[in-house]
Structure formats: structure tokens, C-alpha cells
Amino acid sequence: MSTEASQNRLDTLQPIELAEGVEVRLRIAGPLLRGGALGIDLAIQWAFILLAGFILSLTGIVVGGLTAVGLISLMWFFVWWWYPVFFEAGPWGATFGKKILGLRVVQKSGSPITFGQAVLRNFLRYADGMPFLGFGVMGIPTFGFGVGVLVATKRFQRLGDLAAGTVVIYDKVPPEPVVPSPPALETIAPPMALRPEEVKALSAFTDRAGLWSEGRRIEIADHARELSGSKGAAGVTRLTAMARWLQERK
């Protein structure tokens, strides 16, 4: 693995280019913090299951033992399987454990996840929990499979994330300032007379350049290589210099 590839793998600030070349940056949460959130959620779930189970067991005196066992089983099913679904599909986009540690589940575009995505990513936790210790499929989950998949993917996605198209990110990241890039170090007069709409397009390119990745800027600038006389990064610089020349003469 090259040095650049290693750096990109370790850097959790992941750039994702969307439609029209707009680039979003998501601060991906790593395995350690996600493990802490899972630990908090498991503690909350088990505490609720034990407390509610104790209360429901007392009702067995009134409703009968079999009915109480059925209610306890139903309660366990909803708490264990649907607790993360409802909270991650809701306004928080996170369970209590993730919320406490400042994490959120989103789509790869940064948008909130849908209810279907929440169901898919959380119901696959069973596969992530393998292999189990003792008693076969009813044993204690080791999450060995989930951790192995998580550390092997670029955006730390477990099996449920890969299937649902979701990622876990830091909920609040200071926004990066958007500035026109790259700034022109000189002014260059356009080699030909430009129509008003061409002047406006050149100015818009310079104003919006900070919203695009370097590759997207070069791609757009290459379409105007007849005007700039250059390709690649040199073309971007020349177009920016021409826009500056036009702005100074307004």
C-alpha cells in the first residue's frame, strides 16, 4: 500500500463528490468510538429488559404465568431489535449511545437514513455478531465478523452499513470555510472579446470554484481550453486570472 493510500485510509475526513461536482466531507467515526456507543446501548437495552421483565413477571400473578412469559418475550423482541431502528430512523438519527458520544447514522450523501435503511442495517447485526461463544446461535456474540468487515472498508462500514448504504459520522463537525480556489497571482487579459454571458460564466466559475474538488475544477476548465490556451491546473489558473482582470476593469 502506498503512502498516499495509507494516509487516505487513516484520515476519517472522507470527501464524497455529489451531483454537479459539489463535494461534501463527512467525518467518519472509527471502530473504537462506535464500540463505545454499542456498549452504552447494550447496557441501556439490558437494563430496560431486566426492569420491565421483573415488572411483567409480577403481573403473572394476575394474568397467569404463560401470559407473562409471552409478554416478556414480546417486550424483549421489540427492545432488542427495534430500539436502534426507531431511534436511527427518527430525528436524532442515532441511538442513545451514539447520541451521547456525538455520532449519527446517515446515508453516504450525508442525508438522513430512511426507515427501510434503519431496518436493514440493524437486522443484519445478527450476522455482525458472529461467531458466538457457547450454545451455537444462542451464544454470546463476539462481533468478530462485524469488526473484521468494519476495519477492512474505507469508510468503516459493517455489513449492515454496506447493505443499507449508510455510514456513521461525527454529528457536529466545525464547517470548513469555502473560498475560491486557486487565487490568481496575476491578471491576464482574455485573448478574445467575450460576450456578456461568457463574462458572467467566467465570473461564476471563479466564485463557485471553492465548492468543487480539484478534479472537478480541472474538468470544467478543460471545456474552456480554447479560451485559456491550457489544460489541467494551468487552465484553471489562467481562467481565474482572466476573471480577475475583468473584475478589476468593472
Side-chain angles (χ1 to χ4, degrees):
M1 183 180 294
S2 64
T3 302
E4 182 179 358
S6 300
Q7 183 177 359
N8 291 337
R9 180 69 181 87
L10 294 174
D11 186 7
T12 61
L13 185 61
Q14 300 279 350
I16 301 175
E17 188 165 314
L18 305 179
E20 298 184 356
V22 177
E23 184 179 81
V24 297
R25 290 177 175 267
L26 302 177
R27 181 71 69 178
I28 307 297
L32 185 61
L33 203 59
R34 291 182 63 174
L38 176 62
I40 295 174
D41 285 326
L42 290 177
I44 292 173
Q45 286 174 285
W46 276 114
F48 185 88
I49 288 173
L50 293 175
L51 178 60
F54 175 74
I55 295 174
L56 289 174
S57 65
L58 295 179
T59 64
I61 302 175
V62 179
V63 300
L66 291 178
T67 301
V69 171
L71 291 175
I72 291 173
S73 299
L74 189 63
M75 176 272 300
W76 179 90
F77 172 76
F78 277 103
V79 173
W80 190 254
W81 290 103
W82 291 98
Y83 157 81
V85 172
F86 286 120
F87 280 103
E88 290 180 359
W92 277 7
T95 58
F96 280 102
K98 292 184 178 69
K99 187 69 174 178
I100 291 171
L101 296 184
L103 304 181
R104 183 181 182 91
V105 183
V106 297
Q107 300 182 43
K108 289 188 291 185
S109 63
S111 304
I113 66 173
T114 64
F115 184 80
Q117 287 174 311
V119 170
L120 184 57
R121 77 179 302 273
N122 283 292
F123 274 44
L124 281 175
R125 281 194 306 164
Y126 181 82
D128 289 321
M130 297 188 294
F132 297 93
L133 296 177
F135 307 107
V137 295
M138 296 301 293
I140 301 174
T142 64
F143 295 100
F145 185 73
V147 172
V149 175
L150 188 143
V151 298
T153 54
K154 180 180 179 181
R155 298 189 176 97
F156 295 124
Q157 294 170 286
R158 60 178 178 82
L159 184 61
D161 290 314
L162 293 173
T166 58
V167 291
V168 179
I169 64 171
Y170 288 90
D171 191 19
K172 295 180 180 180
V173 178
E176 296 183 351
V178 176
V179 296
S181 177
L185 300 179
E186 58 179 345
T187 59
I188 301 175
M192 61 187 75
L194 301 179
R195 297 191 297 271
E197 59 269 22
E198 292 173 334
V199 173
K200 185 179 296 185
L202 188 59
S203 177
F205 170 79
T206 304
D207 293 339
R208 299 184 62 188
L211 298 173
W212 300 324
S213 64
E214 182 180 359
R216 182 59 172 168
R217 287 194 295 266
I218 291 175
E219 179 184 353
I220 295 175
D222 283 349
H223 289 295
R225 57 181 177 272
E226 293 183 2
L227 173 62
S228 65
S230 303
K231 294 182 64 175
V236 176
T237 301
R238 287 184 63 83
L239 289 178
T240 307
M242 292 178 191
R244 182 179 177 185
W245 185 88
L246 293 170
Q247 290 173 355
E248 289 180 350
R249 278 152 182 79
K250 284 185 178 180

